[in-house]
Amino acid sequence: MQTFFEDNNGNIWIGTNGGGVTVFEKSSQRTINFIHSGNNPNSLSHNRIWDIAQDTDNTIWVATGNGLDHISSLDEASVSRLNSNLNNDSLLHQQRIRRLLISDAGQFWIGTEEGLCVMDSLRKSCNEISEFNGNNYPDIRITSITQGNDNQLWVGTLSGLYLLNTQQRSVVPLVSTNKYPLLPHDDIRDIYYDTAGILWIASRPSGLVKISFIGDSISGFTQFTDDQNRSQDIGRVHALLVDKQEQLWIGSTQGLLKMSSAEEGPKRYDDSLGLIDTMLEDRSGNIWVGSSNGLFRKAANEQEFQNQKSKFPDEQNYYVATMFEDSNGNLWIGTTHNGLLRLNGNKITPVVFDELPQLPQSTIAAIIEDRHQFIVVAIVGFGIFRFSPDSEKFSTYRSGDMGDLHGNGVIDLLVDNTNTLWVATDNKLNQLDDIANIFHYFPQQQRSKSLAIKAMLNDTNNHIWFSSADGIYQLNTSTNSIDHYTSSNGLHGDQFVNKSGFATSKGELFFGGTSGFSRIQTADLDKKNAESKMTISRIKADDSDIMFARNRTIDTNQFTHTLKDIQFTFTDLSLLSNNTAKYRYRLIGHKSTWSTRSDQSSASYSGLSPG
């Protein structure tokens, strides 16, 4: 047997080495055979089967030892040979077809003995990828094809691993004869790119090779295990907490979930608490949960949560949106439309200020304690105010002139490792200069003005991380530079939820999103960001490809004075930043300055002067 494939109806297709195709039909429990039969045009082109794939219209394609066939139904007379419609010079005509891939976008990629091609939308002809052919590379018998991030296609051959940009049609050879040997051996047997951003490579004789684009630094979670041991969607995550036992608590639309460090994924813990918006662990190890159903507490030595409704000042339902325990052990409670409250012993009492008469009816977005032990409170649509619990000191911060808050729509609050106060408004991070009593705004780039900031965390290096409606950003507080991470880097998704995040003392960050949550291990991520590896993947001189020619290793190229046009294609092979790399380049002797930083990965020069 050469290959197995399960179609959309659950039928199992088995490709054999000389016996054609056998199908086990799920609905009828029958077995159907397709074989080559002489000159019968309705039979397979060859009995050796290399690969099987299903198209977007449910047609089954079969890669054989003598061309490409398609099967439209489980009828022995339904085989059609593509060879009959192809020109003799086609890459697929009477060729051994080795690998098939139909991408998420519906592109049909075919690997053969002599290169790679992509079928047109009508599936009538296959357009050869001219950049990937036997003239440029030593042995392009394709053994495997898999889809990577965005426009990436990973191609395994008997001469090694190649990376194709499907949009630019540029090829980066990652073989042992190249300047950047990714693998110690060239014979690639199979490759698989998983949803966590890991490339798995079966190489002979190396065995199984694992290449992590982001390592285990960034991981996403979208599923949990329910009470019947079934996998379910986590849904929207509104709150996250890691307790002293390093157990992760997840407040989602599916209820309260829990994941211990030894488990592979979250499990349901309690679905009776309502929509959970906030969680904390107090200094005594008690877990508090605030939700649409009020306030709940689980004692450190107990398993169940107890409703704290009797502690509130009246019988109405309080929607607890945020909580904070200060340095003196006081628990502050922010509600939706019922203002700010404080737990005193066994009683919860409202907090009122003459300077802020609207407070009892306000919605509280966030609460924190600053370096002066003042309590800082964000009110939705108002801005922030801070006060001393032990004195009458009171002040407010709102939008207005330069140096004031960038906006009154405050999303989150953070005090970093240097005790500096940060305020997240919709599109900016506001850093308080406590001496001048003014705010500085980040990010400063024009492109970031349309961001919808959701939550804000601080890592052990004092960098500020914030989730958004377009992934997660890291603000390096030393350089003010911004790094951007998306689902292509391993996040569960790109859409995140207001104030849903938690940072551990070990540098782990958790951000909640609309379809799950993501974990970032910042200590490991910093190590992987240390180096960028650049390579020139192609040189084209006067329309001739001159780099990586067959049986030729080129370290230095000399050109005659008649050369007029030259083009360089290059890429960043750090694997972490390949999708979001920015480049600058210059041609020494032609220009003394570097080009403008951009994502353009090629440089062309025309009409060069001799010399």
Side-chain angles (χ1 to χ4, degrees):
M1 286 178 281
Q2 290 266 107
T3 185
F4 285 87
F5 177 76
E6 182 180 7
D7 67 23
N8 293 337
N9 295 319
N11 304 317
I12 303 299
W13 298 69
I14 303 171
T16 69
N17 186 4
V21 174
T22 297
V23 186
F24 177 73
E25 188 176 34
K26 183 179 180 181
S27 59
S28 66
Q29 301 289 296
R30 64 173 176 152
T31 300
I32 306 158
N33 296 312
F34 296 89
I35 60 172
H36 172 70
S37 178
N39 293 321
N40 181 359
N42 293 320
S43 68
L44 293 176
S45 297
H46 198 276
N47 278 330
R48 184 169 186 179
I49 309 303
W50 287 87
D51 205 2
I52 301 171
Q54 187 167 26
D55 212 336
T56 53
D57 64 354
N58 293 323
T59 295
I60 299 295
W61 293 91
V62 181
T64 80
N66 192 39
L68 182 65
D69 299 340
H70 66 85
I71 300 174
S72 57
S73 68
L74 290 178
D75 182 337
E76 294 181 9
S78 68
V79 178
S80 299
R81 299 178 181 178
L82 196 63
N83 270 336
S84 60
N85 299 322
L86 296 174
N87 297 326
N88 291 344
D89 59 352
S90 169
L91 190 63
L92 302 184
H93 184 70
Q94 294 182 345
Q95 270 269 12
R96 178 183 292 174
I97 310 299
R98 285 179 166 266
R99 281 294 178 264
L100 308 174
L101 173 69
I102 298 174
S103 71
D104 295 340
Q107 289 184 312
F108 188 5
W109 296 89
I110 302 175
T112 74
E113 293 275 282
E114 296 184 2
L116 182 69
C117 66
V118 58
M119 291 284 278
D120 63 12
S121 60
L122 299 176
R123 306 306 197 233
K124 297 296 184 182
S125 63
C126 203
N127 301 312
E128 183 177 353
I129 306 302
S130 59
E131 293 81 1
F132 191 77
N133 57 59
N135 295 322
N136 293 338
Y137 305 107
D139 189 342
I140 56 170
R141 285 179 289 174
I142 292 175
T143 59
S144 49
I145 312 170
T146 193
Q147 187 175 357
N149 292 329
D150 299 330
N151 299 314
Q152 290 180 341
L153 199 70
W154 292 93
V155 182
T157 73
L158 295 181
S159 67
L161 183 66
Y162 297 80
L163 178 60
L164 171 70
N165 184 307
T166 59
Q167 189 173 41
Q168 300 176 356
R169 300 294 170 90
S170 60
V171 179
V172 179
L174 306 175
V175 298
S176 61
T177 55
N178 187 32
K179 297 178 182 178
Y180 184 74
L182 188 61
L183 296 173
H185 301 281
D186 288 337
D187 191 348
I188 309 299
R189 288 293 158 170
D190 204 1
I191 50 179
Y192 175 70
Y193 185 82
D194 68 21
T195 55
I198 296 173
L199 187 69
W200 299 89
I201 303 170
S203 176
R204 194 170 65 174
S206 297
L208 183 64
V209 179
K210 174 186 177 183
I211 300 176
S212 178
F213 282 57
I214 202 75
D216 296 321
S217 304
I218 296 181
S219 50
F221 299 84
T222 59
Q223 300 277 309
F224 78 97
T225 304
D226 67 11
D227 303 333
Q228 282 75 46
N229 206 33
R230 299 172 301 186
S231 292
Q232 303 281 353
D233 291 338
I234 290 176
R236 190 178 180 93
V237 174
H238 287 255
L240 293 156
L241 168 71
V242 178
D243 64 21
K244 294 182 176 72
Q245 283 72 45
E246 296 187 348
Q247 299 176 114
L248 176 65
W249 299 83
I250 304 120
S252 83
T253 48
Q254 296 282 5
L256 181 62
L257 314 177
K258 188 178 79 167
M259 183 173 76
S260 72
S261 57
E263 292 174 326
E264 294 183 356
K267 294 183 177 180
R268 177 176 279 151
Y269 190 88
D270 194 329
D271 60 358
S272 66
L273 305 179
L275 181 60
I276 298 170
D277 261 12
T278 181
M279 293 185 288
L280 68 78
E281 182 181 24
D282 65 25
R283 59 181 61 187
S284 299
N286 304 311
I287 304 293
W288 296 81
V289 169
S291 76
S292 58
N293 289 350
L295 182 66
F296 300 84
R297 174 181 174 270
K298 186 186 80 67
N301 58 349
E302 296 179 0
Q303 297 299 316
E304 295 185 0
F305 282 85
Q306 303 297 325
N307 197 325
Q308 306 297 301
K309 187 173 184 178
S310 62
K311 294 182 171 65
F312 282 86
D314 50 49
E315 292 297 317
Q316 69 170 302
N317 182 57
Y318 284 82
Y319 192 133
V320 177
T322 186
M323 293 182 290
F324 181 78
E325 184 184 28
D326 67 22
S327 56
N328 293 316
N330 298 310
L331 183 65
W332 301 88
I333 302 166
T335 70
T336 299
H337 303 306
N338 288 109
L340 179 68
L341 302 100
R342 177 179 179 178
L343 176 62
N344 294 306
N346 286 321
K347 290 189 64 177
I348 297 174
T349 57
V351 176
V352 294
F353 292 97
D354 293 338
E355 300 93 334
L356 206 60
Q358 71 270 38
L359 180 59
Q361 292 80 40
S362 296
T363 295
I364 307 301
I367 312 167
I368 206 164
E369 184 178 32
D370 69 12
R371 70 171 74 200
H372 307 291
Q373 295 187 320
F374 279 35
I375 303 302
V376 184
V377 181
I379 299 178
V380 172
F382 172 84
I384 64 175
F385 71 95
R386 65 176 181 172
F387 64 94
S388 170
D390 303 320
S391 70
E392 296 182 356
K393 293 182 179 178
F394 178 96
S395 58
T396 60
Y397 295 92
R398 306 192 67 193
S399 64
D401 297 330
M402 181 63 65
D404 293 333
L405 270 182
H406 193 267
N408 289 327
V410 177
I411 305 297
D412 204 0
L413 300 172
L414 172 72
V415 173
D416 68 17
N417 300 340
T418 64
N419 288 319
T420 299
L421 176 66
W422 293 78
V423 181
T425 54
D426 185 37
N427 290 318
K428 289 290 182 181
L429 301 181
N430 301 253
Q431 180 193 43
L432 179 63
D433 182 337
D434 215 13
I435 297 176
N437 203 33
I438 61 171
F439 286 97
H440 303 289
Y441 311 131
F442 302 91
Q444 298 173 342
Q445 293 91 331
Q446 184 71 22
R447 65 173 178 84
S448 299
K449 286 189 175 180
S450 60
L451 286 179
I453 297 174
K454 301 297 183 180
M456 185 170 47
L457 297 175
N458 186 208
D459 66 21
T460 54
N461 293 319
N462 206 39
H463 301 322
I464 307 299
W465 295 73
F466 57 96
S467 58
S468 74
D470 183 29
I472 293 174
Y473 292 81
Q474 180 203 40
L475 170 65
N476 186 313
T477 52
S478 299
T479 63
N480 291 337
S481 61
I482 298 285
D483 287 325
H484 184 203
Y485 300 91
T486 67
S487 55
S488 65
N489 300 117
L491 298 178
H492 78 279
D494 295 329
Q495 296 284 330
F496 289 85
V497 175
N498 281 4
K499 210 181 174 299
S500 181
F502 189 86
T504 72
S505 59
K506 296 181 179 180
E508 281 188 310
L509 308 180
F510 295 86
F511 286 97
T514 58
S515 59
F517 66 94
S518 295
R519 176 182 63 192
I520 303 176
Q521 296 173 296
T522 58
D524 293 340
L525 191 63
D526 287 339
K527 295 175 185 176
K528 292 179 175 63
N529 267 321
E531 184 179 1
S532 178
K533 299 178 177 66
M534 294 297 303
T535 186
I536 295 177
S537 58
R538 185 183 185 191
I539 301 177
K540 192 173 182 180
D542 286 342
D543 294 325
S544 297
D545 289 316
I546 62 171
M547 199 168 185
F548 306 115
R550 183 189 293 269
N551 300 324
R552 183 182 176 196
T553 301
I554 300 176
D555 294 323
T556 303
N557 290 286
Q558 293 183 349
F559 306 101
T560 66
H561 67 279
T562 59
L563 176 69
K564 294 295 183 183
D565 304 320
I566 190 166
Q567 182 185 61
F568 300 92
T569 302
F570 39 82
T571 191
D572 173 14
L573 295 179
S574 64
L575 299 184
L576 173 64
S577 58
N578 194 36
N579 292 321
T580 56
K582 301 292 183 182
Y583 304 98
R584 297 176 69 197
Y585 56 86
R586 65 171 176 166
L587 183 62
I588 297 175
H590 179 66
K591 278 193 174 182
S592 59
T593 58
W594 290 88
S595 69
T596 303
R597 181 173 176 265
S598 73
D599 56 4
Q600 181 178 329
S601 59
S602 64
S604 299
Y605 300 92
S606 300
L608 294 174
S609 301

